[in-house]
């Protein structure tokens, strides 16, 4: 016994036994013939064997070598049910009473700490990738928007039978594909601007059915297995639809020889990772949506990697590895979870969980705009830091008959607002800009120009409040890179609304 331990003179085995039973450490003792003679409650909790299983026998796991010194060592040990316990152990020779115990091992459970460590490392990794991807996506969106605008202007200047129209279309199509990739990357970073509302998951599934059948094509049957009652969650339905498309495309690709894809829904409480994994869950009631297939399945060791951006098992040129990472980002940004269950040769199923909300889905607000009677050409203030893109947007707007004022960032836009004497009917603004971003500009502009409408045109924002602000006020928003025609249509629609009816977002 260690000199620094003190026990009362009357200390008996009953007292020792209760100390062992209460200790938050595993205590295992071996006698000189390597038979277990001490096995406390914590050892049972960590490793699974009860005392009667092991006492008087040799240990059901390899003994830890007695190394020089008795510093704590981290080890892993198989548990009774075939799991792995991670513990830090310290050994002690007991020399004075070899009959009762020759070696005592004291162990601390490291499982929780290790789990947290893994979650932190994974979180840091994802954060770094997200930041990188977000930065790239932001710049790419501006470049792609410029390409799209240029194509539009170019194709208008060509005669319809000009052979170069084909080339312009090729550029335009290629930039559309690049925009789609950027969009997926952005989805993964969770920096997309979502427009969530209360939706019924069954309705989302039903509305997407015919499009999904179009994706699956012949040879693969798509069936819907939906609950009879509505499942209300708060989400951006177009994003959930995107997620469904990515999942169904993957299922289709995993069933090259034909098979079945099932889309099912349900709801109920969720308290822990349903796949037995380590994902921490906020216990609540969730609605769920599963895409299951009869395809080739996914090896267990890949389950943790398939959601990583650019992870693909497909041949170069076929897979981008951005489908599942986009789905993951969309689900996470919506406050939900996604889990995979799959074995090789037995198909795969992906389940998205989203927190249930009580409010029933409101029918979409239909606004009937009235034409304003003002005969003058509306004035638009264009706020965009990317010079090329701003110039192109200006040309597109001027071509549509608007008077255009320009500003390179929020502060300059406010200056224009103060100096310009006439009305500014609408402000088209980026969100992420140097000097002053869209958020602060909008707040100040509300006082300067309460009647000006505001349309945000942006690829992403890492300003959470801004994302929420756009969402909560329903203020106008257009995803970058946009088709020029869409920008013009959106502006025309907004300007048809009675002046002063649409408010700037309350940010
Ligand atoms: N339903 C599925 N069945 C089998 N494997 C799948 C399924 N869904 C995803 N996977 C695996 O996950 C990987 C990543 O998917 P994803 O992110 O969509 O990228 P990509 O489809 O471009 O490879 C795929 O390459 C594939 O190995
Ligand atoms: Mg895919």
């Amino acid at each position: 016994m260690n000199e620094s331990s003190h026990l009362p003179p009357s200390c008996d085995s009953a007292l020792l036994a209760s100390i062992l039973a209460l200790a938050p450490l595993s205590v295992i003792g071996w006698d000189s013939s390597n038979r277990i003679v001490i096995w406390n409650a914590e050892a049972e909790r960590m490793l699974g064997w009860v005392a009667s299983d092991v006492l008087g026998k040799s240990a059901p796991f390899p003994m830890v070598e007695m190394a020089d010194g008795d510093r704590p060592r981290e080890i892993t040990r198989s548990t009774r049910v075939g799991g792995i316990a991670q513990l830090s152990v310290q050994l002690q020779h007991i020399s004075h009473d070899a009959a009762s115990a020759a070696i005592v091992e004291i162990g601390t459970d490291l499982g929780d700490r290790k789990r947290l460590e893994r979650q932190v490392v994974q979180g840091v990794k994802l954060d770094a990738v997200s930041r990188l991807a977000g930065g790239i996506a932001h710049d790419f969106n501006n470049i792609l928007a410029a390409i799209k605008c240029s194509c539009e202007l170019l194709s208008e200047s060509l005669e319809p039978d000009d052979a170069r129209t084909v080339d312009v279309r090729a550029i335009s199509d290629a930039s559309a594909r690049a925009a789609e990739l950027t969009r997926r990357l952005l989805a993964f970073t969770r920096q997309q601007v979502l427009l969530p509302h209360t939706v019924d998951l069954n309705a989302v599934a039903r509305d997407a059915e015919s499009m999904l059948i179009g994706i699956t094509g012949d040879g693969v049957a798509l069936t819907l297995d939906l609950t009879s009652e509505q499942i209300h969650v708060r989400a951006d339905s177009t994003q959930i639809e995107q997620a469904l498309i990515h999942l169904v495309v993957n299922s289709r690709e995993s069933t090259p020889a034909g098979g079945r894809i099932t889309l099912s829904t349900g709801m109920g409480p969720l308290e822990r990772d349903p796949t037995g994994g380590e994902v921490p869950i906020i216990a609540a009631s969730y609605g769920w949506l599963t895409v299951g297939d009869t395809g080739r399945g996914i090896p267990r060791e890949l389950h943790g990697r398939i959601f990583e951006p650019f992870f693909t098992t497909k041949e170069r040129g076929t897979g981008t590895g951005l489908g599942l990472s986009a789905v993951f980002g969309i689900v996470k940004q919506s406050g939900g979870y996604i889990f995979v269950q799959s074995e090789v040769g037995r198909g795969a199923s992906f389940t998205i969980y989203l927190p249930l909300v009580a409010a029933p889905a409101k029918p979409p607000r239909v606004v009937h705009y009235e034409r304003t009677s003002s005969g003058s050409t509306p004035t638009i203030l264009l706020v965009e830091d990317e010079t090329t893109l701003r110039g192109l947007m200006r040309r597109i707007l001027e071509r549509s008959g608007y008077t255009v004022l320009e500003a390179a960032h929020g502060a300059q836009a406010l200056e224009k607002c103060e100096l310009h004497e006439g009305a500014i009917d609408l402000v088209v603004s980026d969100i992420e800009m140097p000097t002053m971003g869209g958020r602060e500009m909008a707040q100040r502009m509300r006082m300067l120009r309460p009647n000006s409408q505001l349309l945000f045109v942006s690829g992403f924002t890492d300003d959470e409040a801004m994302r929420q602000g756009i969402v909560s006020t329903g203020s106008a928003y257009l995803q970058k890179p946009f088709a020029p025609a869409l920008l013009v249509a959106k502006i025309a629609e907004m300007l048809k609304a009675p002046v002063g009816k649409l408010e700037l977002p309350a940010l």
Side-chain angles (χ1 to χ4, degrees):
M1 180 116 346
N2 195 310
E3 295 305 316
S4 60
S5 301
H6 296 279
L7 289 170
S10 63
C11 176
D12 57 9
S13 54
L15 177 59
L16 270 176
S18 51
I19 291 172
L20 281 181
L22 290 172
L25 304 163
S26 63
V27 182
I28 304 172
W30 284 267
D31 68 10
S32 49
S33 337
N34 283 351
R35 281 187 304 246
I36 291 181
V37 287
I38 302 173
W39 185 267
N40 76 341
E42 182 65 3
E44 174 185 332
R45 190 195 65 78
M46 275 191 224
L47 301 170
W49 289 277
V50 297
S52 57
D53 292 337
V54 288
L55 285 180
K57 301 177 187 151
S58 54
F61 44 80
M63 276 181 74
V64 179
E65 292 287 320
M66 195 79 182
D68 44 339
D70 48 12
R71 266 176 281 124
R73 257 172 298 161
E74 290 190 7
I75 61 158
T76 54
R77 186 171 275 168
S78 305
T79 66
R80 192 179 67 86
V81 293
I84 300 281
Q86 286 185 298
L87 47 166
S88 164
V89 296
Q90 198 163 5
L91 299 184
Q92 177 96 48
H93 262 300
I94 310 289
S95 46
H96 72 276
D97 187 7
S100 57
I103 294 177
V104 172
E105 179 203 282
I106 310 286
T108 322
D109 191 353
L110 296 181
D112 287 342
R113 203 187 85 197
K114 292 282 177 194
R115 224 180 335 275
L116 279 176
E117 275 174 14
R118 277 197 297 276
Q119 282 163 9
V120 169
V121 168
Q122 183 70 0
V124 168
K125 194 167 107 187
L126 286 183
D127 269 3
V129 176
S130 282
R131 260 199 307 281
L132 183 71
I136 294 173
H138 175 67
D139 288 346
F140 266 57
N141 275 334
N142 281 335
I143 296 167
L144 291 168
I147 296 176
K148 278 192 177 180
C149 288
S150 301
C151 286
E152 176 90 5
L153 291 166
L154 196 56
S155 67
E156 299 228 331
S157 70
L158 296 175
E159 297 297 325
D161 55 351
D162 194 311
R164 286 171 297 181
T165 313
V166 180
D167 299 329
V168 176
R169 185 154 327 121
I171 298 173
S172 178
D173 289 350
S175 73
R177 282 203 304 279
E180 171 58 24
L181 286 186
T182 317
R183 215 165 50 74
R184 291 190 198 176
L185 202 55
L186 206 52
F188 168 72
T189 68
R190 302 175 220 172
Q191 290 170 349
Q192 290 197 105
V193 179
L194 295 186
L195 303 171
H197 41 262
T198 303
V199 290
D200 170 18
L201 279 183
N202 289 333
V204 176
R206 252 183 257 114
D207 290 350
E209 183 180 10
S210 60
M211 180 197 21
L212 296 175
I213 288 175
I215 293 173
T216 53
D218 297 336
V220 177
L222 181 97
T223 16
L224 261 53
D225 179 12
L226 311 178
T227 57
S228 50
E229 67 275 67
Q230 297 190 331
I231 303 173
H232 292 130
V233 297
R234 208 174 139 67
D236 183 333
S237 53
T238 48
Q239 293 299 321
I240 299 301
E241 199 174 80
Q242 275 300 319
L244 277 179
I245 293 173
H246 290 315
L247 293 176
V248 168
V249 165
N250 281 344
S251 290
R252 171 76 188 99
E253 288 168 350
S254 84
T255 48
R260 206 172 49 249
I261 300 175
T262 313
L263 223 145
S264 44
T265 57
M267 56 180 148
L270 184 71
E271 280 164 10
R272 59 183 67 86
D273 186 339
T275 61
E278 298 180 343
V279 177
I281 302 287
I282 299 174
S285 293
Y286 289 83
W288 52 259
L289 186 62
T290 299
V291 175
D293 63 56
T294 55
R296 67 169 79 89
I298 307 164
R300 271 213 83 82
E301 64 273 16
L302 295 188
H303 288 195
R305 301 201 53 200
I306 51 176
F307 297 103
E308 287 176 9
F310 304 112
F311 178 84
T312 179
T313 57
K314 292 166 192 169
E315 273 174 39
R316 260 188 99 86
T318 44
T320 58
L322 286 175
L324 287 181
S325 56
V327 177
F328 183 83
I330 290 168
V331 171
K332 283 281 128 194
Q333 203 181 336
S334 312
Y337 304 96
I338 179 162
F339 295 104
V340 58
Q341 272 174 315
S342 180
E343 272 175 58
V344 175
R346 299 186 155 203
S349 77
F350 288 85
T351 303
I352 293 172
Y353 288 85
L354 294 169
L356 286 177
V357 293
K362 281 199 214 93
R365 197 165 51 100
V366 183
V367 184
H368 297 285
Y369 294 113
E370 293 162 23
R371 279 190 178 280
T372 46
S373 52
S374 99
S376 62
T377 59
T379 300
I380 293 176
L381 171 57
L382 183 58
V383 195
E384 165 68 59
D385 57 321
E386 186 63 33
T387 324
T388 317
L389 180 57
R390 193 173 67 238
L392 289 164
M393 285 171 82
R394 176 188 196 125
R395 282 171 63 195
I396 298 232
L397 294 177
E398 282 177 345
R399 201 194 47 179
S400 309
Y402 299 113
T403 305
V404 180
L405 308 171
E406 285 183 50
H409 51 71
Q412 227 175 59
L414 294 175
E415 224 172 82
K416 286 270 151 93
C417 284
E418 269 175 309
L419 297 178
H420 182 73
E421 297 203 332
I424 294 178
D425 301 88
L426 192 134
V427 181
V428 178
S429 178
D430 195 1
I431 297 175
E432 297 284 320
M433 293 176 292
T435 316
M436 187 191 289
R439 172 143 98 115
E440 194 182 340
M441 182 199 75
Q443 278 166 337
R444 299 195 187 195
M445 199 170 272
R446 197 196 339 235
M447 287 182 273
L448 280 174
R449 297 270 176 174
N451 287 331
S452 300
Q453 300 188 53
L454 187 66
L455 170 62
F456 284 116
V457 179
S458 175
F460 88 118
T461 171
D462 52 11
D463 182 338
E464 181 62 34
M466 191 69 205
R467 282 197 286 265
Q468 297 304 326
I470 291 175
V471 166
S472 61
T473 59
S475 103
Y477 169 74
L478 193 64
Q479 170 85 39
K480 224 191 234 176
F482 49 85
L486 207 61
L487 173 70
V488 172
K490 184 88 194 172
I491 290 175
E493 178 195 288
M494 288 176 73
L495 288 177
K496 274 192 225 158
V499 173
K501 262 287 163 59
L502 284 176
E503 284 181 4
L504 286 174
L507 296 169

